[in-house]
Amino acid sequence: MPTLDHSSTAPAAPATPANPRTGERLFVVGFIVVGLLGPIVMGERYPFSIAPMFCQQPTCYCEYVVKGPDGDSLDLARFQLQRVYDGNPVGLGVGVRPPETLDRFGEVPTEQLIREHLQQLPDDAWRGLPYVDVEVSVIGDVDGVHVGRIDERSFTVRVTAPGAGS
């Protein structure tokens, strides 16, 4: 019976790299490089952003409530009064263009500005409404220690639908 010589048919052992963690290190270094250069090279591409988070220091903001003639609250987005503030300057760092709104974190609009804004809206925003009441609650520093509603700056304004008379 012939003898088999296994020494020549044995598979060669796989070559091991000098350092088995080289791939992990390359991945970490690559991730850091992309994280640092991504916003500069690519601009606004998720998950990278050129916007500095919370760089603004607003001292107040407004909460809006829109009520119809029957006293029921209406959708703020219908009247472009919804809040889209995410800690970035408006239009920076969102990746997509946010919906239009009068709300600007840190700013209090005047009654006249609210009237003008609402009367420029398309007719479908006013569908079935002769007027709306907009309650503007200004939230900010109340006494140097607490944050809450500032009654002296808060107000309600009635806005008549365009074409409904004054």
Side-chain angles (χ1 to χ4, degrees), residues 18-103:
N19 187 346
R21 294 185 161 271
T22 302
E24 293 173 9
R25 287 190 179 118
L26 287 173
F27 175 79
V28 170
V29 168
F31 185 79
I32 291 171
V33 168
V34 169
L36 294 174
L37 295 179
I40 296 168
V41 175
M42 297 184 308
E44 294 299 319
R45 300 276 189 255
Y46 179 83
F48 308 107
S49 174
I50 59 175
M53 288 296 289
F54 303 104
C55 65
Q56 300 167 318
Q57 298 178 3
T59 57
C60 66
Y61 67 94
C62 295
E63 289 183 348
Y64 299 93
V65 176
V66 179
K67 293 185 177 181
D70 58 2
D72 289 342
S73 292
L74 302 170
D75 181 32
L76 293 176
R78 176 177 175 180
F79 296 95
Q80 296 180 353
L81 293 172
Q82 75 281 7
R83 180 167 303 120
V84 295
Y85 183 75
D86 62 357
N88 290 315
V90 175
L92 236 188
V94 293
V96 295
R97 185 181 179 101
E100 291 295 323
T101 181
L102 180 67
D103 183 61

